[in-house]
Amino acid sequence: MLDASALKRYILEFHDRDLRGLRPRELKVDSIKGKATVIMGPRRSGKTYYLFTLMKEGRERYLYLDLEHPIFYSLEPSDFPRILDSYKELYPELSPVIMLDEVQAVPEWERMVRYAIDLGLETYVTGSSSKLLASEIASHLRGRSLSYILLPLSFREYLTFKGIDFEGREMYRNYHRIVAALENFLKYGAYPEVALMEGENLRMRILREYLDLVVRRDVLERFRLRNRKLLNDLTLFALNSYSKHISYDSLYRLHKGRTKVTKRTVANYISYLSEAFFLFTLSRYSPSIKERIVAPRKIYLVDTGYGNFGAKSISRDMENAVFLELYRRHVNDPTAELYYWKDGSGHEVDFVVVKEGRVRELIQVAYSLEEEKTVSREIRSLLKAKKVLKCGDLKIITWKDEWERRLSWWGESGVVRAIPLWRWLLTPS
């Protein structure tokens, strides 16, 4: 049974906690009456601190419960009314905003959430991907939640964390600092702890620990997998093949002679790595739903820092960073979809942005446009996709090239804009 005195001390200690210096995040959430707001994402992406940034003036209004705190070790849903009573004894004039952090620590945690919602209390929830998947939270709450994904830092957030001003004229005054920061952003990734850490050795050690935790706890233990070798091999494949195509058929052929495996097992393991927020897969755009399902997918890492443990390259880091930014901009928009495009002649466009069923944007990523063959390849593909998909917003994201031109190829023409990665990442969507 919860000790009421200890519980009140916990509540007051949190309200006295110094939370000055918190850095804001860009994720915007809506609190809707009758629904819990659920914050999900990869481990160490800053979900707990994000809850703190939601606290406005008058912290006493917020009942924040870290459900992995020792005081809640034996907590059961039936104890939740007692927690509310303790809060009301401290603040009888207030109606609390409930924040339940790491809800997976409490068996049948959803009963507490539904109880708070039924009382009409604004409620926020986070959970660890090692014990609770985003899909499971939605299932447990049976339509009474609205979920949001918090990724590692965007480049705008990264610069803010590093104290580099990029607003207005400062973008140009700090140009060299911004480009240098972008190099580090791509090399070491954007986890908040890594961004604030100094020294390559420490950054790499932290990234390795994150990677090991994701593979071992969030996937191997979470899904109770038996084929550790296959999981390790697929993880290594992702680290060496991000920003490239994958095919379950080819992965199956690659592994079938080395370990006991089926094509379904390979597909399941890739799915588990995706559900644990280690990687993302991107489908090919096609009017045919069947083709979207069976066509090879492209694979991206949740953080470019993980590429240090595989075949890292600046061009693939750039494409991965563009994917993550597009995902971040559109993941919480139910009308938006993200694909790549490829036709039977080998023309390919890295990203196709679809909104409300219409193709709105076509994006290529290329490190440099200095070589004529690179320009020709990228332009041909964009103009072919423009004709097929009927979209005139054509972009090539590069390292430093910047221009806007009307270009033609085999009777097709269109205005193409080349934009440096740093500028595109800092441009609001």
Side-chain angles (χ1 to χ4, degrees):
M1 179 179 292
L2 285 174
D3 182 289
S5 296
L7 182 57
K8 291 175 183 177
R9 285 199 304 273
Y10 168 88
I11 294 171
L12 292 173
E13 285 171 3
F14 177 78
H15 290 158
D16 291 338
R17 186 172 172 177
D18 186 1
L19 296 179
R20 290 175 298 180
L22 286 175
R23 297 166 175 85
R25 301 293 301 271
E26 293 179 335
L27 177 64
K28 305 299 182 186
V29 300
D30 296 309
S31 177
I32 298 177
K33 187 175 181 62
K35 290 184 181 291
T37 301
V38 179
I39 313 299
M40 297 298 297
R43 63 167 63 246
R44 310 304 299 174
S45 58
K47 296 185 291 294
T48 295
Y49 282 94
Y50 179 73
L51 287 183
F52 296 163
T53 66
L54 296 177
M55 297 179 183
K56 310 302 181 186
E57 293 297 322
R59 196 185 308 166
E60 295 80 8
R61 290 185 54 236
Y62 297 88
L63 177 55
Y64 169 79
L65 303 179
D66 173 6
L67 297 176
E68 289 191 332
H69 190 283
I71 193 175
F72 302 120
Y73 178 74
S74 59
L75 183 69
E76 296 181 358
S78 58
D79 295 318
F80 190 58
R82 188 174 298 109
I83 295 175
L84 295 179
D85 288 343
S86 294
Y87 173 88
K88 293 298 288 184
E89 288 173 14
L90 292 171
Y91 305 106
E93 73 285 1
L94 297 179
S95 179
V97 175
I98 307 298
M99 292 187 164
L100 303 177
D101 200 4
E102 303 292 357
V103 292
Q104 77 286 338
V106 179
E108 298 186 281
W109 55 269
E110 64 273 15
R111 295 177 180 271
M112 296 192 302
V113 178
R114 290 200 294 267
Y115 183 81
I117 294 172
D118 288 340
L119 290 177
L121 300 178
E122 185 177 343
T123 304
Y124 296 84
V125 175
T126 80
S128 168
S129 56
S130 66
K131 297 290 179 67
L132 199 62
L133 303 176
S135 59
E136 291 174 321
I137 282 188
S139 175
H140 282 301
L141 292 178
R142 301 170 189 170
R144 305 190 69 182
S145 66
L146 203 60
S147 296
Y148 296 86
I149 304 296
L150 183 69
L151 292 180
L153 304 175
S154 70
F155 187 52
R156 296 175 298 275
E157 292 171 331
Y158 183 89
L159 292 179
T160 300
F161 272 49
K162 304 294 279 187
I164 300 175
D165 192 351
F166 57 89
E167 300 290 348
R169 297 177 187 143
E170 298 307 310
M171 177 186 293
Y172 302 98
R173 288 195 178 103
N174 292 326
Y175 168 77
H176 293 291
R177 293 181 68 196
I178 290 171
V179 173
L182 179 59
E183 293 176 350
N184 280 328
F185 177 80
L186 296 179
K187 182 175 182 180
Y188 299 110
Y191 279 106
E193 185 178 18
V194 176
L196 294 172
M197 185 63 62
E198 297 295 334
E200 181 174 12
N201 183 55
L202 286 176
R203 289 171 174 168
M204 294 295 287
R205 287 182 62 184
I206 292 170
L207 283 168
R208 169 56 75 178
E209 180 179 300
Y210 288 0
L211 177 59
D212 291 344
L213 284 172
V214 168
V215 175
R216 187 179 73 251
R217 292 187 59 187
D218 296 357
V219 181
L220 187 70
E221 297 176 5
R222 173 66 181 82
F223 295 100
R224 300 177 183 176
L225 303 184
R226 293 178 293 180
N227 197 334
R228 181 190 290 264
K229 183 180 188 311
L230 177 62
L231 177 63
N232 289 338
D233 286 349
L234 291 175
T235 302
L236 186 61
F237 175 85
L239 294 171
N240 284 277
S241 304
Y242 63 99
S243 301
K244 292 185 177 182
H245 298 89
I246 67 165
S247 161
Y248 296 144
D249 287 336
S250 62
L251 286 173
Y252 166 67
R253 291 193 298 270
L254 176 65
H255 291 93
K256 69 177 182 178
R258 300 160 56 192
T259 183
K260 187 176 181 180
V261 66
T262 66
K263 194 182 303 183
R264 171 54 57 189
T265 302
V266 169
N268 285 341
Y269 277 40
I270 292 292
S271 175
Y272 299 151
L273 287 166
S274 177
E275 289 185 74
F277 293 106
F278 170 64
L279 58 79
F280 299 91
T281 60
L282 186 67
S283 299
R284 179 193 294 179
Y285 181 80
S286 170
S288 167
I289 301 298
K290 180 179 179 181
E291 185 176 337
R292 295 185 194 182
I293 295 173
V294 302
R297 300 187 176 197
K298 296 186 76 173
I299 190 170
Y300 296 98
L301 302 176
V302 73
D303 188 76
T304 56
Y306 286 145
N308 286 290
F309 307 110
K312 194 170 181 65
S313 76
I314 183 67
S315 59
R316 286 197 285 149
D317 284 343
M318 287 177 62
E319 184 175 334
N320 202 114
V322 170
F323 168 81
L324 291 173
E325 179 62 21
L326 287 170
Y327 182 88
R328 185 181 288 108
R329 292 178 182 184
H330 299 296
V331 65
N332 295 316
D333 180 351
T335 71
E337 301 169 272
L338 186 61
Y339 301 94
Y340 77 95
W341 177 83
K342 189 174 184 178
D343 70 3
S345 301
H347 301 106
E348 182 172 347
V349 173
D350 293 323
F351 300 108
V352 176
V353 179
V354 178
K355 293 198 71 174
E356 298 177 338
R358 292 180 52 198
V359 176
R360 302 299 180 94
E361 194 173 5
L362 300 172
I363 299 174
Q364 295 283 56
V365 183
Y367 178 76
S368 171
L369 297 178
E370 293 180 357
E371 294 186 15
E372 183 61 33
K373 65 178 183 180
T374 302
V375 177
S376 178
R377 181 185 67 243
E378 305 296 348
I379 297 304
R380 285 200 311 266
S381 294
L382 277 174
L383 293 179
K384 181 64 179 294
K386 171 184 178 290
K387 178 181 180 180
V388 174
L389 303 180
K390 297 178 172 43
C391 174
D393 191 342
L394 313 177
K395 295 185 181 72
I396 305 177
I397 298 176
T398 72
W399 186 254
K400 62 179 180 180
D401 298 274
E402 188 166 11
W403 44 256
E404 184 172 310
R405 303 170 187 165
R406 176 167 287 278
L407 300 169
S408 300
W409 176 74
W410 278 46
E412 281 300 317
S413 67
V415 176
V416 179
R417 183 185 180 194
I419 179 171
L421 177 62
W422 68 268
R423 185 186 296 281
W424 182 79
L425 289 172
L426 295 181
T427 303
S429 60

